[in-house]
Amino acid sequence: MPKAIILINTEMGADEEVFENLKSMPEVKAVYMVYGLYDIVAIIESEDMNKLRDIVYKSLRSSPKVRSTLTMIVVKGHESR
Amino acid sequence: MPKAIILINTEMGADEEVFENLKSMPEVKAVYMVYGLYDIVAIIESEDMNKLRDIVYKSLRSSPKVRSTLTMIVVKGHESR
Amino acid sequence: MPKAIILINTEMGADEEVFENLKSMPEVKAVYMVYGLYDIVAIIESEDMNKLRDIVYKSLRSSPKVRSTLTMIVVKGHESR
Amino acid sequence: MPKAIILINTEMGADEEVFENLKSMPEVKAVYMVYGLYDIVAIIESEDMNKLRDIVYKSLRSSPKVRSTLTMIVVKGHESR
Amino acid sequence: MPKAIILINTEMGADEEVFENLKSMPEVKAVYMVYGLYDIVAIIESEDMNKLRDIVYKSLRSSPKVRSTLTMIVVKGHESR
Amino acid sequence: MPKAIILINTEMGADEEVFENLKSMPEVKAVYMVYGLYDIVAIIESEDMNKLRDIVYKSLRSSPKVRSTLTMIVVKGHESR
Amino acid sequence: MPKAIILINTEMGADEEVFENLKSMPEVKAVYMVYGLYDIVAIIESEDMNKLRDIVYKSLRSSPKVRSTLTMIVVKGHESR
Amino acid sequence: MPKAIILINTEMGADEEVFENLKSMPEVKAVYMVYGLYDIVAIIESEDMNKLRDIVYKSLRSSPKVRSTLTMIVVKGHESR
């Protein structure tokens, strides 16, 4: 299952709203509001690369509260939770 | 429990080695090798801010195979796993 | 007391206004207008991490004159003033 | 008195050493180790622009433990301490 | 024939539209939608530097759906297609 | 006489207009439209640091066609023209 | 067939050598030396994501003359050649 | 005559040396040591694009004291000196 980590910058003051939207998406396995160069980090997982594309382009990048996204495709991952 | 997301760039060719090191650290809850602006993304969790500091400075930033780290303290997180 | 240094870029021409706003906030220990990659540097101190969060998200990041903020949590500091 | 804020990235593992060096310099009014895009933030003040230049070039930028410096000349500042 | 590679960031949600526009331009030899720091990569070729300039400034940089462009003039190229 | 080099990004399509404005300012000793990470590079010279400040903040950074400016104070310069 | 665009920075003076190496790799469909933020842009195509991974990690990122790579997975592409 | 503006970062402590080297090159029309994101800004002019290439690759990018260069080809310039 393709996985991606997305570094998101939101419009000023829209952090909470974007965070809550992401929380409600089934493909979002984890989402974090952070201090630093980016505002939100999301980990998404989808059935195939096309579905991944739809999430990134249709859900994320078409939301007016999102200012920019940097999508990094996961090559290999390990979760100890 | 304070949590942080760390964006890591490794020395050329050291991706796998750094990835494996991180996998073995108990405070590392998840670690990913990724394509893109950064090489590895790690999610770490520790008892308190001092422990977090030790992990970042004593484990991560003193490894010769790590070229740079960008630490983002988590303000709020949600994991659906 | 948690402390943070915030690198701020303002909307064009809003430097003075944002600078004056920050000056008036009790948690702002120091604020500087600068030449360079960022427009304003602010040093803030708060009672706890939640208060710090409110300052960053409720005061700073919801001001329309602020274009972007980069928050860096202070690990250790020394002031000779 | 000209003032500058310097954003410093150190060689891996050299954070503490550079921090301590800066602490000992009289022209360094404040210095902070931070999490984030930069490793250390220093606020320096000198009698004139030439002295400022010497601090940046002769003290800071010739230290082998410093990887990069970004110097921002202060246009206007306010300290509430 | 001067050639340039242009790294494009589009307005949120405008990826497809900008991609299709570029596809229709004769000087665009190749165009790719990508995951990562940039949204679209275009390879353009023109008769001379002035024509190249018009493409960049009159076609690309005046489109409201384009947020930023980074133009890199090709020094030397090799295509095995 | 204090001198500064300013790296300017303009709003999309406003390159020529900003270039022409800068050309008309007496303190602008040279101005270039360029391909690359920045859109325009200007070299300005003024009687003192306050005048320099006015040019940067009152002329440049308050123009609606300018998206961002990165001001670098000149430490030492040499012109062979 | 998965495709990726890789933005490469080489060690100082190693541009030609890295360019020639890339030219000789069958999976490299096009490679360009460029002026600007990056030194070389390569377009690679492989049978599957694992092969893509090997090219990026085993060939590119283990070459001592390569300083950094930024890999962008192609979502959709069009070539008019 | 093609012209380029080059943003240079030097190895730590090598600012003066690189500055002096550049001053001695006939194609360098102006060179500045600066405070900020870059260390040195050079304006070079050559008879043709090939000569420009040699200056950038053979003189600049092969000097051990130069850490990175960002070359921006001039589209249009105006000098009031």
Side-chain angles (χ1 to χ4, degrees), chain C residues 16 32 75-76 79 81, chain D residues 16 32-33 76 79 81:
Chain C
E16 299 274 353
Y32 306 92
V75 180
K76 193 160 75 158
E79 286 141 15
R81 278 184 301 278
Chain D
E16 298 275 352
Y32 306 92
M33 260 169 71
K76 192 158 75 159
E79 285 142 15
R81 275 180 301 276

Side-chain angles (χ1 to χ4, degrees), chain F residues 8 13-14 23 27 33 44 52 57 60 65 68 77:
Chain F
I8 299 164
K23 252 173 74 176
E27 301 88 354
M33 259 170 70
I44 63 173
L52 187 71
Y57 286 94
L60 258 170
K65 301 287 183 176
S68 67

Side-chain angles (χ1 to χ4, degrees), chain B residues 8-38:
Chain B
I8 300 163
N9 285 98
T10 70
E11 291 305 336
M12 282 293 128
D15 306 79
E16 300 273 352
E17 190 183 332
V18 172
F19 177 76
E20 293 304 328
N21 285 351
L22 287 162
K23 253 173 75 175
S24 66
M25 290 167 60
E27 302 88 354
V28 173
K29 298 306 166 198
V31 55
Y32 306 92
M33 258 170 71
V34 291
Y35 288 124
L37 188 57
Y38 306 98

Side-chain angles (χ1 to χ4, degrees), chain B residues 1 3 6 10 12 15 21-22 25 30-31 34-35 41-42 44-45 48 51 53-57 63 65 79:
Chain B
M1 303 252 286
K3 205 176 249 188
I6 309 183
T10 70
M12 282 293 128
D15 306 79
N21 285 351
L22 287 162
M25 290 167 60
V31 55
V34 291
Y35 288 124
V41 179
I44 63 173
E45 198 173 32
D48 55 48
K51 281 269 171 32
R53 189 170 102 174
D54 290 347
I55 300 164
V56 171
Y57 287 95
S63 144
K65 302 285 182 176
E79 286 144 13

Side-chain angles (χ1 to χ4, degrees), chain C residues 5 16 19 23 28-35 38 43 72-81, chain D residues 5 7 16 19 23 28-35 38 43 72-81:
Chain C
I5 296 182
E16 299 274 353
F19 177 77
K23 253 172 77 175
V28 173
K29 299 306 167 196
V31 56
Y32 306 92
M33 259 169 70
V34 291
Y35 287 123
Y38 305 99
I43 301 176
M72 303 188 294
I73 304 292
V74 170
V75 180
K76 193 160 75 158
H78 168 78
E79 286 141 15
S80 65
R81 278 184 301 278
Chain D
I5 297 181
L7 307 175
E16 298 275 352
F19 177 77
K23 253 173 76 176
V28 172
K29 298 308 167 195
V31 56
Y32 306 92
M33 260 169 71
V34 291
Y35 287 124
Y38 306 98
I43 301 176
M72 304 188 292
I73 304 293
V74 171
V75 180
K76 192 158 75 159
H78 168 77
E79 285 142 15
S80 66
R81 275 180 301 276

